Amino acid sequence: MTSNIDAAAERLFQAISTNTPCDPVRDLIGENDIEAAYQVQERLIAARVEAGGVVVGRKIGATSKAVQDQLGVDQPDFGVLLADMEYTEDQIVPMSRLLQPKVEAEVAFVLGKDLAEGPLDIAQVRDAIDYAVAALEIVDSRIENWNISFGDTVADNASSGLYVLGTERRTLDEFEPVDVEMSMTIDGVEVSTGNGAACLGDPLNAVAWLAKYARDFGVPLRAGQVLLSGALGPMRPVEPGQVVTATISSLGSATATFSA
């Protein structure tokens, strides 16, 4: 199986390196072998770190029923955020770094404390979060035509692409993530709506799930890391030159402007 895991990682790394979509990797690792899929992801991230990448956080994927339905999966997954995946609102997001991007609106959290010991329950998660901001995740797939199974998306770093964070910071004393309402527009036209409850019942549930899963995998969450907690509503494809804004109650907005 190790040779298959290496081959799957190499297929995905070639897709990244050449900016060319590849065939699914489920022929090598199966559709639902979660352990094998995360081993492929680990190899991919290790290669990117070896090339100079810096791990700055995690993303949780497929947390909303709408996105699970869109992707044809039935459970969440997680991926790794690297420093070069973040763009600020005043930067142009280069389409040249993307293959078949879609956007989704999320609540992002920044940790003030490690989530490595203890029960990792909601109370501990709340205590560990420094602040939250509105976020846009630009999901992308190295698999041609988004033809993915659960194993494919996990192996492909949970279909991570890039992300943009808003600038209005709120502590959990100032708002409740479960209560937020979201509207996402592309070029001023509303294309997606949702709320905090759509994200595993509460974005904090998603963070607690991630904290336990990450610890089980031997890579616990650390202070200072950014956590993209998962979509609040359906994701939408984005085209060159478009401007996408996520407005999230209590958190303001996050805007991504894509290169023409």
Side-chain angles (χ1 to χ4, degrees):
M1 187 64 184
T2 301
S3 61
N4 282 8
I5 289 167
D6 289 339
E10 177 60 24
R11 184 181 297 175
L12 288 166
F13 196 71
Q14 282 298 313
I16 294 168
S17 302
T18 62
N19 217 34
T20 306
C22 65
D23 290 334
V25 295
R26 55 184 176 268
D27 62 318
L28 296 167
I29 62 169
E31 293 189 6
N32 295 298
D33 187 334
I34 296 175
E35 185 175 345
Y38 278 112
Q39 286 178 3
V40 175
Q41 184 189 118
E42 284 179 346
R43 282 165 170 73
L44 264 188
I45 297 302
R48 292 180 68 175
V49 168
E50 192 174 318
V54 177
V55 175
V56 295
R58 300 283 196 291
K59 65 151 284 183
I60 312 167
T63 53
S64 82
K65 182 69 166 60
V67 169
Q68 288 182 1
D69 289 346
Q70 285 181 301
L71 294 178
V73 301
D74 60 1
Q75 57 186 308
D77 62 3
F78 75 83
V80 176
L81 300 179
L82 300 170
D84 69 351
M85 293 165 64
E86 182 179 359
Y87 282 82
T88 59
E89 290 188 296
D90 58 359
Q91 291 177 307
I92 301 296
V93 178
M95 293 296 283
S96 60
R97 288 197 59 189
L98 300 161
L99 292 172
Q100 38 197 356
K102 302 173 188 279
V103 286
E104 56 189 37
E106 312 192 6
V107 177
F109 299 100
V110 176
L111 292 180
K113 299 178 182 178
D114 291 352
L115 284 171
E117 309 292 338
L120 303 182
D121 55 12
I122 294 294
Q124 186 179 354
V125 163
R126 278 184 172 276
D127 182 61
I129 289 170
D130 187 10
Y131 62 88
V133 295
L136 281 169
E137 185 184 358
I138 304 152
V139 293
D140 200 7
S141 181
R142 271 52 63 175
I143 308 295
E144 191 164 21
N145 295 323
W146 281 90
N147 176 19
I148 58 173
S149 67
F150 189 70
D152 291 308
T153 188
V154 169
D156 187 24
N157 196 27
S159 301
S160 300
L162 308 171
Y163 66 96
V164 176
L165 302 181
T167 57
E168 291 188 40
R169 299 180 178 186
R170 296 285 182 272
T171 69
L172 295 185
D173 292 332
E174 298 175 290
F175 86 113
E176 278 296 331
V178 70
D179 292 335
V180 301
E181 297 288 335
M182 178 277 292
S183 169
M184 186 173 75
T185 63
I186 296 180
D187 291 343
V189 178
E190 187 175 72
V191 295
S192 179
T193 60
N195 54 51
C199 180
L200 286 188
D202 184 333
L204 296 178
N205 291 339
V207 176
W209 174 88
L210 174 65
K212 291 170 184 171
Y213 225 83
R215 183 173 67 181
D216 288 348
F217 270 82
V219 285
L221 305 179
R222 299 297 183 187
Q225 289 187 331
V226 176
L227 309 178
L228 298 180
S229 65
L232 301 174
M235 59 186 178
R236 295 291 182 238
V238 63
E239 302 292 338
Q242 291 185 322
V243 177
V244 184
T245 297
T247 302
I248 300 177
S249 60
S250 301
L251 292 176
S253 63
T255 296
T257 303
F258 291 83
S259 66

